[in-house]
Amino acid sequence: MELFNILSAFGLSASAGLNAYLPLLVIALLAKFTNLVQLNSPWDALTSWWVIGLLFVLSIIEFFADKIPAVNHVNDLIQTAIRPLSGAILFASSAKIISDVHPVLALALGLFVAGSVHTIKAVAIRPAVTATTAGAGNVPVSILEDVISTVVSFLSAALPVVFAVLVLIFTAWLIWRFVIRRKRSLSA
């Protein structure tokens, strides 16, 4: 279904905003070893063993760099360019299944989505975690981001229906939380 394909493209690019290399590695492995993902040229280069190996090494480097105090801030600065590009690649590589989407538009959408997620993470969430926990919360939050990025990538590519249902549930929960808080603040 077209809607699930669109959600898949958005989910993959959003997960790249949290971690640049894990979503690419997930897609590369799914395309290499399953029929769940079919990559057309030039995106099929992701299934090369050299690219998979490079993505694995880069994933490990980013994993550890994001767990070391002070290094994680430098990593976020470096990733400010890389994560949106990764999102653009992921969106464009999955946009082949979305009809009537120009490749430039697909790249731009992926860049915007991944860049937005990364900006929220690097400018709002991580500084707040650092300030409120004196840095002690950065490692657990980083691990959670890696888990979310991996799970969202897998669900977006392999089980877009499940991903779509989870997005709907999460959106409903956010709206419900907003309404409840609003009612509480108005009644206080």
Side-chain angles (χ1 to χ4, degrees):
M1 209 178 211
E2 194 80 16
L3 175 63
F4 296 133
N5 296 334
I6 293 169
L7 284 173
S8 179
F10 276 101
L12 288 168
S13 58
S15 64
L18 295 175
N19 187 305
Y21 308 111
L22 282 175
L24 287 169
L25 183 60
V26 167
I27 292 304
L29 292 172
L30 285 174
K32 182 79 171 177
F33 295 112
T34 72
N35 292 328
L36 297 172
V37 174
Q38 303 294 324
L39 298 174
N40 292 337
S41 183
W43 312 115
D44 60 344
L46 288 172
T47 61
S48 158
W49 282 113
W50 289 102
V51 173
I52 290 172
L54 178 63
L55 289 172
F56 180 77
V57 168
L58 290 171
S59 293
I60 297 296
I61 291 169
E62 185 175 3
F63 177 84
F64 287 109
D66 207 34
K67 309 305 183 270
I68 301 168
V71 175
N72 65 346
H73 298 298
V74 173
N75 181 53
D76 272 343
L77 185 63
I78 293 168
Q79 297 298 330
T80 298
I82 297 171
R83 288 181 182 146
L85 290 174
S86 175
I89 291 168
L90 286 160
F91 198 103
S93 67
S94 59
K96 66 163 181 58
I97 53 179
I98 303 169
S99 60
D100 300 326
V101 175
H102 193 276
V104 174
L105 176 60
L107 287 167
L109 285 170
L111 190 78
F112 176 75
V113 170
S116 298
V117 170
H118 171 71
T119 300
I120 291 167
K121 170 193 166 180
V123 175
I125 295 173
R126 280 301 188 86
V129 169
T130 301
T132 58
T133 66
N138 285 343
V139 172
V141 168
S142 177
I143 291 170
L144 181 62
E145 290 167 353
D146 293 339
V147 168
I148 289 170
S149 179
T150 304
V151 169
V152 167
S153 297
F154 178 78
L155 288 177
S156 295
L159 303 167
V161 174
V162 173
F163 177 70
V165 168
L166 290 175
V167 166
L168 291 173
I169 291 170
F170 182 70
T171 302
W173 177 78
L174 283 177
I175 291 168
W176 178 77
R177 294 277 299 170
F178 178 74
V179 169
I180 295 295
R181 284 188 181 175
R182 182 126 170 110
K183 284 182 181 180
R184 285 182 186 166
S185 68
L186 291 175
S187 65

